[in-house]
Amino acid sequence: MKWKKFGAFLCVLGLVLLLPGPEPVRTAGAPAEVTLSGPPLVALTFDDGPRSSTTGPLLDGLALREVPATFFLVGNRIPGNEDLVRRMAAEGHQIGIHTYDHVELKGLSRQDFDLQVGKTRALITQLVGEGNYWLRPPYGLMDRQAGQWCGGPVILWSVDPEDWKDDDIDRIVAAVVEHVSDGDIILLHDLFPSSAQAALRVVDTLLARGCCFVTVEQLMAERGVTPEVGARYRKIN
C-alpha cells in the first residue's frame, strides 16, 4: 500500500520522530524497543462495505482531511462498487477481507473457507492488483483451522463504539474519543450513514488533539511489528 500523505505537519514530524535507530534483537512479531516521542498513532478501520451511498461520501471526507483508513470489504458488495475499491487503493487506503457473505469463520471446510476468503481476495486482486489483503473475521470469531488458512495476520480491534446499535452520532463519537489511546485500532462500519458521519467527527476531534491516523499496515511498520500468519492483533504499541 502506498503511504497516504498527511495534512498536518505535526503528524509528519511525529512519524519521523518515531523512526527507530539500530534495531535491537527481538523475537519475531515483537515490537521494537523505541522511545515514542511523537504524536499518538491510531488506525481507523471500517467493516461491511463498500456501499456507494455511504462509502463514497466517507472517502470524500477522508480525502479532504488527508487521512488514511483500512477497509475490510464484504465480497458480495464489491460488484457494482468496483470504482470505490479502486479509489480506496488509489488514495492510499489499506484494503482487507471481511469474507464474501459476512459469515462466521468457524467449522468451515477448506472449500467453504476459500469461497469466503479466497474468492474475496481474488475479486480485490482483479481490481487493484496483488497485495497484502489481510483478514478481519466477522464478529471477530474464527477457529484454529481458519487461522492456518488465512494467509496473513488477523486484524481485530481495541476500540468498538458498537455503531451498529443505533444512529446516535454523538454517542458513537464519544464512545471512541473518550477511550482511544496510542496504538488503538478503531472499529466502525461504512455501511451506515451515521457511522460515516461519526467517523469524520472522530477524525476532526483526534486530529485536534494531535493524533496521527495511519493504516493498520503502517501502524505495524512504525512499531516494528512483523505480521505473522494467523496471529491476532487488537492493538499495536
Side-chain angles (χ1 to χ4, degrees), residues 11-21 34-41 182 212 222-223:
C11 191
V12 177
L13 178 61
L15 287 175
V16 172
L17 292 173
L18 282 170
L19 292 175
V34 298
T35 300
L36 302 179
S37 55
L41 301 182
D182 181 65
C212 183
E222 284 299 324
R223 295 294 153 83

Side-chain angles (χ1 to χ4, degrees), residues 7-235:
F9 174 75
L10 176 61
C11 191
V12 177
L13 178 61
L15 287 175
V16 172
L17 292 173
L18 282 170
L19 292 175
E23 186 174 1
V25 176
R26 62 183 188 276
T27 58
E33 295 179 2
V34 298
T35 300
L36 302 179
S37 55
L41 301 182
V42 293
L44 186 63
T45 71
F46 297 93
D47 288 3
D48 292 359
R51 184 181 184 186
S52 59
S53 61
T54 49
T55 308
L58 174 61
L59 288 172
D60 290 342
L62 294 174
L64 181 65
R65 294 158 175 82
E66 296 187 320
V67 162
T70 303
F71 291 85
F72 293 96
L73 307 183
V74 173
N76 66 25
R77 296 195 174 114
I78 293 176
N81 290 306
E82 291 89 349
D83 286 346
L84 287 174
V85 180
R86 294 188 187 98
R87 181 180 174 186
M88 289 173 187
E91 295 184 357
H93 301 291
Q94 183 179 353
I95 298 173
I97 297 166
H98 201 46
T99 74
Y100 192 83
D101 295 304
H102 200 276
V103 299
E104 187 175 313
L105 292 177
K106 295 179 72 174
L108 297 183
S109 67
R110 182 60 191 263
Q111 181 179 10
D112 287 339
F113 178 88
D114 288 342
L115 286 173
Q116 291 298 325
V117 176
K119 184 177 180 180
T120 305
R121 179 175 281 117
L123 278 174
I124 297 170
T125 301
Q126 289 170 11
L127 290 174
V128 298
E130 295 290 339
N132 297 321
Y133 303 119
W134 296 346
L135 175 67
R136 171 171 283 167
Y139 319 109
L141 300 174
M142 62 188 298
D143 56 24
R144 183 184 303 177
Q145 279 192 320
Q148 294 172 344
W149 296 334
C150 67
V154 178
I155 309 303
L156 301 176
W157 57 87
S158 52
V159 176
D160 179 8
E162 299 185 330
D163 55 320
W164 47 268
K165 279 189 172 181
D166 56 51
D167 58 1
D168 187 338
I169 296 174
D170 289 338
R171 182 198 66 78
I172 296 168
V173 172
V176 175
V177 301
E178 292 176 6
H179 298 93
V180 73
S181 61
D182 181 65
D184 272 327
I185 299 173
I186 302 169
L187 169 63
L188 288 165
H189 300 78
D190 56 320
L191 198 62
F192 311 115
S194 54
S195 297
Q197 295 172 42
L200 296 179
R201 282 181 50 184
V202 166
V203 168
D204 289 340
T205 300
L206 294 183
L207 284 177
R209 293 183 183 178
C211 290
C212 183
F213 286 91
V214 291
T215 66
V216 174
E217 189 171 17
Q218 291 166 356
L219 183 56
M220 286 191 176
E222 284 299 324
R223 295 294 153 83
V225 174
T226 301
E228 298 180 0
V229 174
R232 306 182 188 196
Y233 298 89
R234 297 182 180 274
K235 182 171 182 171

